[in-house]
Amino acid sequence: MLEFSRTLLRWRSRNCSRRVSTWTPLATAFNAPPARRINFTHDDVGLFGMPELRSFEGFFLLRDNVESRTQELISEAISDQRRRKMVDIFDELSDTLCKVADLAEFVRIAHPHSRYTQAAEQACISICGMVESLNTHKPIYKALSQVVDHGDKLPTSEVDRHVARLFLFDFEQCGIHLPEEERMRVVRLNDYILQLGQKFMSGAVQPSVLPRSQVPESFRNYFPTSGENVIITGLCTNAENVQMREAAYRLYLQPSKSQEDLLRDLLLCRHELARSCGFDTYGHRALKGSTMEKPEVVRDFINELSEKLRPRADSDFARMSQMKRREGGKADARTEVWDTPYYTNQLRRQLFEEHANEFLPYFSLGGCMEGLDNLLHALYGIRLQNTDLKPGEAWHNDIYKLAVVHEREGLLGYIYCDFYERVGKPNQDCHFTIQGGKRMPDGSYQLPVVVVMLGLAQPRWSGPTLLSPARLDNLFHEMGHAMHSMLARTEHQHVTGTRCSTDFAEVPSVLMEYFAGDPRVLRTFARHFQTHEPISEDMLRRLCASKNLFAASETQLQVFYSALDQEYHGTSARHGGSSTDTLRSVQDHYYGLPYVENTAWQLRFSHLVGYGAKYYAYLVSKTIASWIWQTYFEANPFNRQAGEKYRAEILAHGGAVPSRKLVANFLQREMTPSVLADSLITEIDADESKIKDLIISRS
């Protein structure tokens, strides 16, 4: 046993030394747990380097400071002696509130210690109260409205005027421009909508609990029981047993009167809110200032794409039906809605010989970060530099801090990487803005600070954290958001980085997924974490092709979801009819698989709460990202000229320029529904061709 231990130590020593000499310093840092920092001096700098947050009690001081500064800025805005542009005062007001609100919201979610989370939550509540008070402050609203309608007494740019209009629209969302009785109605509707949404989301994830007598005997054995009840906790999409997949779908998605009532009331209240604020529908209210601008444009895009997708999606479903017939031995078997995820995974395994852990060794976290670093340097001339954290700066001992440094411009901002799972941490991959960038009065730039949160497994003594292809996509996606924040250079923080329209905010992150799926990019860093052997060309081709299986039918599903969301938030909302009848009608028109009787999938569609009338946003972002990829990066994903142009004409502006204008200028073509649809169809056809070529080459 002793000799074995010595041998193991010698092996680890050889391999560790080889890793250190082979990986870059950045990769080496991320391939090992962050070094535990022992604080001998107790000279904490505070969370994110904020001296006030050496203790959780600092949130109370921050809150008081915000309240004091807010009152000063209000007085300045309504003063006859005002010496600054109105938009600059409002942006400082927004910055003052957001610096504490965004920070507190992150700490409330992510900090492991309850005293910090509770203090942060109290700060969030206090800031919300200040914002609500501002939303009823008619003198400051009138001062802003006067500037928007008649111009400022100080010189302003087109960007200034655009941002001022955004501030005014935010004000009017709460009905401040309405007579008092109508304004109070808007306030009540907003409160009720919030309550309805919370209840609907809670109900959407509850298990279905059914008496045994209501569950067909052939289904009962598939699910756990409690007394005389059968419990169905979700859709068994990857179950090999087709009866189990069907049973889970039919039972988990049974209609629920309470959920139906909540959804009906939610949609009706949203419609009434929109009408009170002067919009035809809630969809018109939600899309004001967006890339697509109006529901009619979204509908045209959805219809254009739907028509082009139909024969391609039908081909996907036909292939799935063939697989089902071969597997079950039934000549008349056809694909049902509960089959699509299962047969996508089956085809991936059959055609590409993909095994669950086959690719893992080639994507160590450090290797992936090295690949990101090299890609960002090629495109933008920036480097990600692992930076030592000072005592008290981080909320946990497994956080990394990256300085984003440009080869000419110097430091652009900071990214805190909270990558590892831990007890109490939300199980979600996301990007948080802690401090937005903006131009300061002295000409300097307030540097952006963000957090990228993932849920990766902790590295072990035997090796680094390894990423699946899906985790790799998520890493690139979230870093795309971070780069949007880092590379923006806006005058106003209110529109910096990801603070743009919902249907444009995902474009930079989705575009990064195209780089993550390109073999030329993966080839630069996909190496075995022990042997450092590069991933084989065969594995690389299989990996990239497997990401695009059944792309047409999957896109058609997203079109269906988007169309349903638009229908719910259109003119039909005022009638308050059955949401299931609407679902049936929309599914028949937009999806290639039929509605299943006595099911109500929409009652578990929680995105209706957070993305009401905006579910289409991901589909449009995907389409724009595809268009940008095809135009500028498909020929060469390391094209520096294209990267610099993309930064200067897209990323640098954040939301300071209307996104529709940004896209049209960058791509030198009007963004019509037809052009958008053709862009996505071109990608789907090209991917299908690559898959067929790979199948032929392997047969």
Side-chain angles (χ1 to χ4, degrees):
M1 186 69 175
L2 180 61
E3 184 58 34
F4 173 78
S5 298
R6 288 172 177 164
T7 302
L8 179 61
L9 286 171
R10 285 196 297 271
W11 181 88
R12 289 185 63 202
S13 176
R14 287 196 302 272
N15 280 275
C16 284
S17 64
R18 181 165 47 172
R19 282 199 292 272
V20 169
S21 64
T22 304
W23 296 115
T24 63
L26 180 70
T28 301
F30 277 85
N31 271 347
R36 290 183 177 271
R37 293 166 290 278
I38 302 175
N39 182 8
F40 293 108
T41 65
H42 301 288
D43 188 20
D44 285 4
V45 299
L47 278 177
F48 295 103
M50 299 179 66
E52 298 91 341
L53 293 182
R54 293 188 178 108
S55 161
F56 70 93
E57 294 172 326
F59 275 110
F60 307 124
L61 177 60
L62 289 174
R63 177 198 62 194
D64 292 344
N65 291 343
V66 168
E67 189 166 10
S68 174
R69 184 57 181 153
T70 295
Q71 292 305 317
E72 292 173 358
L73 290 167
I74 290 173
S75 297
E76 182 183 2
I78 62 178
S79 171
D80 292 336
Q81 308 301 317
R82 174 172 59 88
R83 296 182 178 181
R84 288 198 293 167
K85 290 184 289 188
M86 184 66 74
V87 70
D88 288 345
I89 299 172
F90 264 79
D91 193 62
E92 185 180 346
L93 181 59
S94 173
D95 190 39
T96 300
L97 292 163
C98 287
K99 275 182 181 176
V100 177
D102 293 343
L103 167 69
E105 179 62 14
F106 170 74
V107 172
R108 184 186 71 81
I109 291 171
H111 205 287
H113 299 309
S114 61
R115 289 189 298 179
Y116 270 94
T117 60
Q118 290 166 8
E121 184 168 11
Q122 286 300 313
C124 287
I125 293 170
S126 296
I127 298 296
C128 283
M130 294 179 206
V131 172
E132 287 177 5
S133 177
L134 277 171
N135 288 337
T136 62
H137 198 294
K138 291 207 171 183
I140 194 173
Y141 165 72
K142 289 179 179 177
L144 176 64
S145 181
Q146 175 73 16
V147 166
V148 170
D149 291 342
H150 304 290
D152 204 331
K153 63 183 182 181
L154 298 168
T156 57
S157 66
E158 178 53 40
V159 169
D160 290 333
R161 294 188 286 274
H162 172 65
V163 175
R165 288 192 294 269
L166 293 178
F167 277 123
L168 188 67
F169 178 63
D170 288 345
F171 248 130
E172 294 180 349
Q173 293 271 56
C174 300
I176 194 172
H177 59 302
L178 301 173
E180 185 61 17
E181 184 177 343
E182 192 66 18
R183 186 190 72 79
M184 289 304 300
R185 183 170 183 268
V186 168
V187 170
R188 288 193 296 271
L189 281 169
N190 272 319
D191 288 343
Y192 194 38
I193 287 167
L194 180 62
Q195 295 173 33
L196 288 168
Q198 290 172 340
K199 291 177 181 178
F200 183 82
M201 292 210 29
S202 176
V205 296
Q206 295 300 312
S208 289
V209 181
L210 304 171
R212 289 173 60 87
S213 59
Q214 294 183 15
V215 178
E217 189 172 349
S218 58
F219 287 176
R220 292 176 192 167
N221 293 334
Y222 298 137
F223 310 104
T225 59
S226 177
E228 290 300 309
N229 293 325
V230 177
I231 303 172
I232 304 95
T233 57
L235 301 174
C236 303
T237 53
N238 290 317
E240 293 186 7
N241 187 314
V242 64
Q243 284 79 24
M244 185 174 181
R245 296 197 300 272
E246 178 182 356
Y249 188 93
R250 291 184 180 277
L251 298 177
Y252 187 64
L253 299 181
Q254 280 198 352
S256 161
K257 185 179 184 306
S258 61
Q259 284 292 96
E260 175 68 25
D261 290 345
L262 287 170
L263 180 56
R264 183 192 63 242
D265 290 350
L266 175 66
L267 298 177
L268 185 58
C269 286
R270 281 177 170 172
H271 182 74
E272 291 300 315
L273 175 67
R275 296 291 294 171
S276 294
C277 292
F279 295 95
D280 290 342
T281 68
Y282 187 80
H284 286 87
R285 180 179 185 266
L287 268 68
K288 181 178 172 64
S290 68
T291 308
M292 299 300 273
E293 297 181 342
K294 296 183 294 185
E296 292 80 5
V297 179
V298 174
R299 191 176 303 116
D300 288 345
F301 165 63
I302 287 174
N303 289 337
E304 286 270 0
L305 187 55
S306 179
E307 279 301 307
K308 292 177 168 65
L309 280 171
R310 188 169 298 280
R312 294 164 172 85
D314 287 346
S315 177
D316 285 353
F317 294 135
R319 184 184 296 180
M320 293 183 203
S321 294
Q322 291 174 354
M323 295 175 66
K324 190 172 183 179
R325 289 164 192 154
R326 286 197 301 268
E327 184 178 88
K330 294 183 178 180
D332 60 346
R334 65 176 188 176
T335 303
E336 303 287 357
V337 288
W338 50 78
D339 292 324
T340 53
Y342 172 74
Y343 286 110
T344 300
N345 287 332
Q346 284 295 98
L347 188 62
R348 183 175 288 117
R349 286 195 290 266
Q350 292 172 13
L351 291 184
F352 305 113
E353 300 175 9
E354 181 183 324
H355 306 293
N357 299 320
E358 179 185 11
F359 299 108
L360 286 177
Y362 295 92
F363 296 108
S364 66
L365 176 58
C368 295
M369 293 302 295
E370 180 180 310
L372 262 171
D373 182 50
N374 289 334
L375 175 64
L376 296 173
H377 185 258
L379 292 174
Y380 312 118
I382 62 175
R383 287 292 188 190
L384 305 177
Q385 296 181 0
N386 188 44
T387 304
D388 288 338
L389 284 155
K390 296 176 181 178
E393 186 178 357
W395 50 100
H396 199 267
N397 59 23
D398 62 4
I399 310 301
Y400 303 91
K401 180 183 179 183
L402 295 176
V404 181
V405 182
H406 191 274
E407 59 192 14
R408 293 189 310 276
E409 300 168 33
L411 181 63
L412 298 182
Y414 291 105
I415 303 171
Y416 289 83
C417 301
D418 187 350
F419 281 177
Y420 300 121
E421 60 188 2
R422 60 177 178 269
V423 176
K425 178 181 173 181
N427 183 25
Q428 59 185 20
D429 296 345
C430 48
H431 161 271
F432 295 87
T433 298
I434 303 300
Q435 176 173 282
K438 65 172 290 184
R439 186 69 57 194
M440 304 299 286
D442 63 2
S444 63
Y445 200 78
Q446 176 174 287
L447 296 180
V449 178
V450 305
V451 175
V452 172
M453 179 185 285
L454 304 176
L456 305 178
Q458 289 274 355
R460 301 178 182 275
W461 67 270
S462 56
T465 295
L466 304 177
L467 276 62
S468 66
R471 287 289 195 184
L472 173 66
D473 288 345
N474 289 353
L475 171 64
F476 272 63
H477 181 100
E478 299 304 335
M479 289 298 287
H481 283 308
M483 286 303 108
H484 199 179
S485 296
M486 294 297 110
L487 295 174
R489 279 300 178 267
T490 56
E491 295 294 312
H492 310 291
Q493 69 79 38
H494 189 66
V495 290
T496 192
T498 56
R499 290 173 177 168
C500 54
S501 64
T502 304
D503 57 1
F504 187 69
E506 293 295 324
V507 170
S509 54
V510 173
L511 180 62
M512 283 299 290
E513 293 183 43
Y514 283 88
F515 289 97
D518 189 281
R520 293 163 295 181
V521 174
L522 296 179
R523 202 175 284 125
T524 66
F525 67 90
R527 289 177 285 159
H528 197 285
F529 77 99
Q530 290 174 326
T531 66
H532 298 277
E533 290 295 321
I535 192 169
S536 70
E537 287 300 306
D538 177 64
M539 290 179 67
L540 203 53
R541 291 180 70 199
R542 288 190 286 116
L543 170 61
C544 294
S546 69
K547 292 184 178 185
N548 301 308
L549 285 176
F550 297 136
S553 55
E554 175 57 33
T555 304
Q556 188 187 59
L557 184 64
Q558 295 302 314
V559 167
F560 161 43
Y561 291 169
S562 301
L564 180 66
D565 177 46
Q566 288 297 304
E567 186 67 22
Y568 281 155
H569 292 97
T571 54
S572 63
R574 70 166 68 103
H575 306 304
S578 164
S579 68
T580 300
D581 289 346
T582 303
L583 169 70
R584 186 200 313 268
S585 173
V586 173
Q587 185 164 343
D588 286 348
H589 187 75
Y590 288 100
Y591 196 45
L593 298 178
Y595 165 75
V596 179
E597 291 297 331
N598 199 39
T599 62
W601 162 85
Q602 78 282 5
L603 301 182
R604 294 190 180 275
F605 190 27
S606 59
H607 285 85
L608 288 171
V609 175
Y611 290 89
K614 295 181 180 181
Y615 188 85
Y616 79 91
Y618 181 80
L619 190 61
V620 166
S621 292
K622 164 81 172 172
T623 304
I624 295 173
S626 176
W627 191 5
I628 291 173
W629 172 260
Q630 293 172 41
T631 304
Y632 286 102
F633 299 108
E634 189 171 37
N636 176 9
F638 307 105
N639 188 326
R640 180 64 173 270
Q641 185 178 1
E644 294 286 8
K645 182 177 174 64
Y646 174 60
R647 181 194 176 187
E649 298 184 18
I650 295 288
L651 298 179
H653 298 285
V657 177
S659 51
R660 190 177 189 86
K661 182 178 179 181
L662 282 182
V663 173
N665 289 345
F666 183 58
L667 293 167
Q668 293 295 295
R669 192 173 181 186
E670 188 61 32
M671 204 181 71
T672 66
S674 179
V675 168
L676 287 173
D678 286 342
S679 170
L680 206 51
I681 292 298
T682 297
E683 177 191 325
I684 289 171
D685 287 348
D687 288 339
E688 182 66 20
S689 178
K690 291 175 186 176
I691 291 170
K692 288 179 179 177
D693 289 345
L694 183 58
I695 293 172
I696 292 171
S697 70
R698 296 179 61 80
S699 60

